[in-house]
Amino acid sequence: MIGQAGLMNSTLNGNETVELGYILDNTYWHNGYGTEAARACLEYAFGELELKTVCCSIRPENVASIRVVERLGMTLCDNHTIIYNEKEMPHQIYVATNSKSYIL
């Protein structure tokens, strides 16, 4: 097992949405696996589930994950803050809409 990727119901800024998440063991970074897994999740979300939008919440310093979602055609649309262990953690919200632009 090298990581995981999937879709989850989520609430971002008070709005119910479906969120794309992915995480890989850092041994497997920079091989395209994150992009491949995220693309498959979007294809499933838009093809099988017929969703209109999918969001992804990423910390601004996570440049590699931002590159993944930008490669898939997701665009920055908002931001929010998560409180974890009493620490504020800013996140950016990216969105993909149901179109063929996410398939490269």
Side-chain angles (χ1 to χ4, degrees):
M1 179 127 131
I2 66 168
Q4 55 188 322
L7 302 168
M8 61 193 142
N9 291 320
S10 186
T11 303
L12 297 174
N13 290 338
N15 299 307
E16 297 295 318
T17 188
V18 172
E19 188 174 356
L20 166 65
Y22 50 90
I23 186 167
L24 298 174
D25 183 292
N26 61 359
T27 304
Y28 299 96
W29 290 359
H30 309 295
N31 290 299
Y33 301 135
T35 303
E36 182 179 345
R39 180 179 290 120
C41 290
L42 288 179
E43 288 174 355
Y44 180 75
F46 295 139
E48 297 297 318
L49 300 178
E50 298 181 356
L51 298 176
K52 302 272 187 255
T53 61
V54 174
C55 294
C56 191
S57 175
I58 303 173
R59 300 215 37 211
E61 61 270 17
N62 191 341
V63 176
S65 281
I66 291 170
R67 279 193 215 121
V68 167
V69 296
E70 288 176 343
R71 265 188 223 112
L72 297 175
M74 297 182 82
T75 56
L76 180 62
C77 69
D78 205 350
N79 57 64
H80 70 120
T81 300
I82 294 173
I83 309 259
Y84 183 75
N85 286 338
E86 299 180 14
K87 181 180 176 186
E88 290 188 1
M89 300 174 70
H91 283 67
Q92 297 173 323
I93 301 171
Y94 287 79
V95 66
T97 57
N98 193 348
S99 70
K100 298 302 177 191
S101 65
Y102 62 90
I103 302 174
L104 304 177

